[in-house]
Amino acid sequence: MPARTTQTRENAENAENAANATNADVTGSAASGPGPGLALVRGLAGACHPLPAAAVTLFAAALTAAAGHGPARAAVTVGAVAAGQLSVGWCNDRADLRRDLATGRRDKPLVAGTVPAAAVMWAAAVSLLLCVPLSLACGPLAGTAHLVGVAAAWAYNLRLKSTAASWVPYALAFGLLPAFVTLSLPGTPWPPPWLTAAAALLGAGAHFANVLPDIEDDLATGVAGLPQRLGLRVSAAVGGLLVIGSTATLVLGPPGPVTAYGWTLLAATTTALLLAARRPAGRLPFPATMAVAGADVILLVLELRP
């Protein structure tokens, strides 16, 4: 494995140099062709990890509405989350460029040469800078909670994804999201513990589900986070249990009787994840996790509405 990894890294360095030259050629030719601005926007949109970024932002929007925020504060809160998610997605694609080149990930805009690496770096920096004042505009305590979550996600991209603590940034960032929303309310209330626990479990489960299809490529390029260390089958089981645990916490945590929707959601979540676990190396586990998250949001809105 070490010899293979060293060779892969050398190939990745050569590929990155070639990609930089290709990106320069693409940028130059795009400038003289029709619609270079539109091509850049499309490339940046593809490089920001649009599915998870949109999912987390929509989750924040639903949570903000359920918590009773007014339109102005809701817009600032959701804007801060969107800016943070964009910065994390662009940072991730730029940080993974060498590994994506080595494994031939032509579905990534940077690898395909549809957007320059410099543009992605600038987009990540600008969105991060925008996230800071938007977060703090929701209040110092709320803003700090959100910025700690964003910092955790950046730490994952730049360092922690290759360690046994790779799950921690996901759990921390997801777990702090409800706090960001509730702490910006009058009186700065903390969210109920069951909500924080459910969000943290969902975040950790999403990490496992997101990594599953790429475990072999990750190991070949030196990425050894917790899922890679546990292996495909064990990681699929752990990820499924974490997501089921998240839904169970959301269903059973609030005071009062469990609704019919809650029981149905718990049963459907278990069934969906068992089916997805039959093909752990495919792309199904992560969309299944996102679908569960969407159903969880509906339950959350029903639980928190006045």
Side-chain angles (χ1 to χ4, degrees), residues 263-281:
W263 287 121
T264 302
L265 174 60
L266 187 55
T269 296
T270 304
T271 302
L273 292 173
L274 286 174
L275 291 174
R278 297 177 65 181
R279 296 184 61 188

Side-chain angles (χ1 to χ4, degrees), residues 239 248 300:
L300 186 58

Side-chain angles (χ1 to χ4, degrees), residues 72-257:
R73 177 54 61 88
V76 175
T77 302
V78 174
V81 173
Q85 288 300 303
L86 288 172
S87 78
V88 170
W90 282 320
C91 169
N92 183 275
D93 250 32
R94 181 60 185 91
D96 283 352
L97 179 56
R98 283 192 179 186
R99 290 186 288 268
D100 290 339
L101 286 166
T103 55
R105 289 293 303 273
R106 298 291 297 177
D107 57 313
K108 296 289 192 76
L110 278 172
V111 177
T114 57
V115 62
V120 174
M121 288 196 319
W122 274 106
V126 170
S127 55
L128 181 62
L129 290 175
L130 182 61
C131 176
V132 174
L134 286 173
S135 299
L136 294 176
C138 297
L141 191 56
T144 299
H146 184 237
L147 292 175
V148 167
V150 173
W154 273 69
Y156 170 84
N157 290 339
L158 300 177
R159 178 70 182 94
L160 293 179
K161 76 181 302 177
S162 296
T163 72
S166 60
W167 60 276
V168 174
Y170 274 80
L172 182 61
F174 274 70
L176 285 174
L177 187 56
F180 174 47
V181 172
T182 62
L183 288 172
S184 59
L185 290 167
T188 61
W190 285 90
W194 57 263
L195 178 53
T196 299
L201 287 169
L202 179 61
H207 169 49
F208 279 85
N210 190 37
V211 166
L212 288 178
D214 303 317
I215 281 183
E216 292 299 325
D217 288 344
D218 287 342
L219 289 172
T221 53
V223 176
L226 185 58
Q228 292 88 351
R229 296 172 189 228
L230 294 177
L232 184 62
R233 294 291 178 183
V234 174
S235 291
V238 171
L241 289 174
L242 286 168
V243 176
I244 292 171
S246 171
T247 301
T249 302
L250 204 59
V251 169
L252 303 174

